[in-house]
Amino acid sequence: MTLPMLLASRAAPRRLGAALALAAALGAAAPASAQRPAPTPDTAAQQFTLGNGLSVIVQPDHRAPVAVHMLWLRVGAMDEVDGTSGVAHVLEHLMFKGTDKLQPGEFSRRVAALGGRENAFTSMDYTGYYQQVPAARLAEVMALEADRFAHNRYSDEEFAKELDVVKEERRLRTDDNPRALLGEQHRAATFTASPYRRPVVGWMGDLDALTAQDARAFYQRWYVPANATVVVVGDVDPQAVLKLAQQHYGGIPARALPVRKPRPEPPQPGLRRVQVKAPAEQAVVSLAFKVPSMESLAPSPGSDDALALTVLSAVLDGYSGARLDRALTQGADRVADSAHASNGLYGRGPQLFVLSGVPAPGKTPAQLEAALREQVARVAREGVNEAELARVKTQWIASQVYKRDSVMGQAQELGSLWVQGLPLDADARLIERLRQVTAAQVQRVAGQYFGDDQLTIATLDPQPRDPQAKPRAAPAALRH
């Protein structure tokens, strides 16, 4: 995803060279090498729709004889119902467990035999599957993916084995990871009605009760052509890819897509706090403020504010030596070992602006909490200068160069834009809108969205570690 990937975990990229950083600090225009060239008919992304409703997006990139093939579905953890949390992620694992034609694990073995690599991912908003192969083998991986999209099959025994893998993944990545546990509890306390309150991996109690039929029902409900897009990026011809897609995906029967009911988050009546006790060496403080998301590219008060908040997050933590770094982590009286800011620009659910950090030795979580809020309050009082804005905007433009270095990165961006219902050129249009964000807008949103009634605070209270506890080994079948 373009800007949320850059700024929402997600801080702005920090890998610019010295020349770019200097140009940005001086408020110079972006160097010519960082300007995005106008697409030509040979390089522009193209989008098609098959008769069954499946979308096909193709981005030619002829620099190397490789291709990335991705299948994106507009379904994720937010589409689950209470009692079945984690089913979207479990199903992602089960998609590797066979079809009418393939035995468990055979999909991955065939992709490897083609000289490719593959994996999958699940988020709150979407599920995706990908293969990166020599461009000449694209038809073969497309046939494999279309087969499992339409004919995923697994036994109850395979389901039970993979469910055990997911449970162990949860233990390893969340239950035994204090910061991940803090993040999970923070999100659960922040949201009341929104399905964003549930973890992608699922609550352990729900996983204990999950059945093979739950996963099969989720697959039948959401894995339909009208809820999916195929993204292909690489050394390909769009018309040739369209022909392959029609051959392999076009025969999958169309099915009605379920109606999604809105589940808006109600206004928050006051400040919320959650404390998480877990074995750890240091405390962690995390402050989540409810903020507007950018629901479309058309100018609107909410979208304009979401863009200004994105700029604010980058001013605070968009580069080495930004405001939080300078004010909180440096000097003899520093209050933090680390401090960060991020803003969720857009998504299928409500978005958050997050301030977080680790207190420095001798400092308390309360002191760090106050220091983080003071930096935002300072922007609200004093504003930001044009040099800061120029630096941030230059980085956004330059980031486009790095994005185009990777066919995988291009495919991920195109799929993410499709999930959000945004056009293929949304990244360029967002950059143009971000260029227009003013210092006055940044100052205004800093004073508008950071009150107690929009805030949920989570604190990790470190506990002594059990000296007898042994580190948990990663499960052998862990895919990602």
Side-chain angles (χ1 to χ4, degrees), residues 53-171:
L54 184 131
S55 296
V56 180
I57 300 171
V58 188
Q59 171 70 69
D61 186 330
H62 301 294
R63 292 175 298 172
V66 299
V68 169
H69 173 269
M70 304 188 83
L71 176 68
W72 289 74
L73 292 113
R74 192 179 282 121
V75 62
M78 72 174 295
D79 300 290
E80 300 163 347
V81 297
D82 287 343
T84 63
S85 67
V87 68
H89 176 235
V90 170
L91 177 58
E92 174 222 307
H93 281 241
L94 293 168
M95 290 290 284
F96 293 86
K97 292 303 174 181
T99 71
D100 294 336
K101 300 177 182 178
L102 300 179
Q103 295 299 309
E106 189 175 350
F107 183 100
S108 297
R109 292 193 293 271
R110 290 199 181 191
V111 174
L114 296 174
R117 61 186 182 95
E118 46 79 51
N119 212 323
F121 47 87
T122 306
S123 78
M124 293 301 305
D125 293 346
Y126 51 77
T127 307
Y129 305 86
Y130 70 84
Q131 304 86 40
Q132 184 165 356
V133 293
R137 315 313 292 265
L138 174 63
E140 292 157 276
V141 296
M142 190 177 285
L144 287 169
E145 190 67 86
D147 176 47
R148 73 171 173 180
F149 174 55
H151 306 294
N152 180 226
R153 302 286 187 273
Y154 47 86
S155 66
D156 288 358
E157 290 75 19
E158 286 293 336
F159 168 83
K161 288 192 293 185
E162 203 60 32
L163 183 61
D164 284 342
V165 171
V166 172
K167 289 180 180 180
E168 190 63 15
E169 181 179 339
R170 183 191 158 82
R171 296 184 189 102

Side-chain angles (χ1 to χ4, degrees), residues 46-363:
Q46 299 183 42
Q47 185 167 355
F48 312 95
T49 302
L50 303 187
N52 57 11
L54 184 131
S55 296
V56 180
I57 300 171
V58 188
Q59 171 70 69
D61 186 330
H62 301 294
R63 292 175 298 172
V66 299
V68 169
H69 173 269
M70 304 188 83
L71 176 68
W72 289 74
L73 292 113
R74 192 179 282 121
V75 62
M78 72 174 295
D79 300 290
E80 300 163 347
V81 297
D82 287 343
T84 63
S85 67
V87 68
H89 176 235
V90 170
L91 177 58
E92 174 222 307
H93 281 241
L94 293 168
M95 290 290 284
F96 293 86
K97 292 303 174 181
T99 71
D100 294 336
K101 300 177 182 178
L102 300 179
Q103 295 299 309
E106 189 175 350
F107 183 100
S108 297
R109 292 193 293 271
R110 290 199 181 191
V111 174
L114 296 174
R117 61 186 182 95
E118 46 79 51
N119 212 323
F121 47 87
T122 306
S123 78
M124 293 301 305
D125 293 346
Y126 51 77
T127 307
Y129 305 86
Y130 70 84
Q131 304 86 40
Q132 184 165 356
V133 293
R137 315 313 292 265
L138 174 63
E140 292 157 276
V141 296
M142 190 177 285
L144 287 169
E145 190 67 86
D147 176 47
R148 73 171 173 180
F149 174 55
H151 306 294
N152 180 226
R153 302 286 187 273
Y154 47 86
S155 66
D156 288 358
E157 290 75 19
E158 286 293 336
F159 168 83
K161 288 192 293 185
E162 203 60 32
L163 183 61
D164 284 342
V165 171
V166 172
K167 289 180 180 180
E168 190 63 15
E169 181 179 339
R170 183 191 158 82
R171 296 184 189 102
L172 176 70
R173 293 183 169 176
T174 303
D175 297 340
D176 292 350
N177 184 329
R179 292 198 186 192
L181 191 62
L182 177 72
E184 180 179 88
Q185 292 295 312
H186 195 185
R187 183 170 287 270
T190 297
F191 296 114
T192 301
S194 171
Y196 270 25
R197 70 185 185 277
R198 292 192 294 264
V200 173
V201 73
W203 300 113
M204 186 61 86
D206 287 350
L207 294 176
D208 287 338
L210 201 67
T211 68
Q213 186 53 38
D214 291 329
R216 292 178 184 127
F218 195 83
Y219 168 77
Q220 288 295 324
R221 183 175 176 85
W222 296 110
Y223 278 52
V224 302
N227 200 40
T229 190
V230 171
V231 179
V232 176
V233 177
D235 190 18
V236 298
D237 172 73
Q239 288 301 317
V241 172
L242 175 60
K243 184 177 179 180
L244 287 173
Q246 289 171 331
Q247 175 185 346
H248 296 294
Y249 289 97
I252 299 173
R255 287 189 286 121
L257 184 63
V259 176
R260 289 181 166 99
K261 292 187 177 182
R263 287 171 286 181
E265 180 69 13
Q268 185 170 325
L271 187 149
R272 299 170 183 166
R273 287 187 180 271
V274 59
Q275 182 185 49
V276 175
K277 294 182 177 181
E281 299 297 330
Q282 293 177 291
V284 179
V285 177
S286 183
L287 294 76
F289 299 85
K290 292 188 173 77
V291 293
S293 64
M294 203 177 91
E295 297 180 352
S296 74
L297 291 175
S300 69
S303 294
D304 292 345
D305 285 0
L307 289 165
L309 287 160
T310 300
V311 174
L312 173 62
S313 72
V315 166
L316 293 171
D317 183 34
Y319 52 90
S320 180
R323 286 192 176 212
L324 294 184
D325 191 17
R326 294 197 313 269
L328 305 187
T329 71
Q330 299 178 15
D333 197 35
R334 64 189 181 90
V335 71
D337 279 351
S338 63
H340 305 286
S342 65
N343 182 57
L345 179 57
Y346 56 72
R348 290 177 55 210
Q351 298 302 301
L352 301 173
F353 191 109
V354 177
L355 299 169
S356 62
V358 174
K363 302 297 182 180

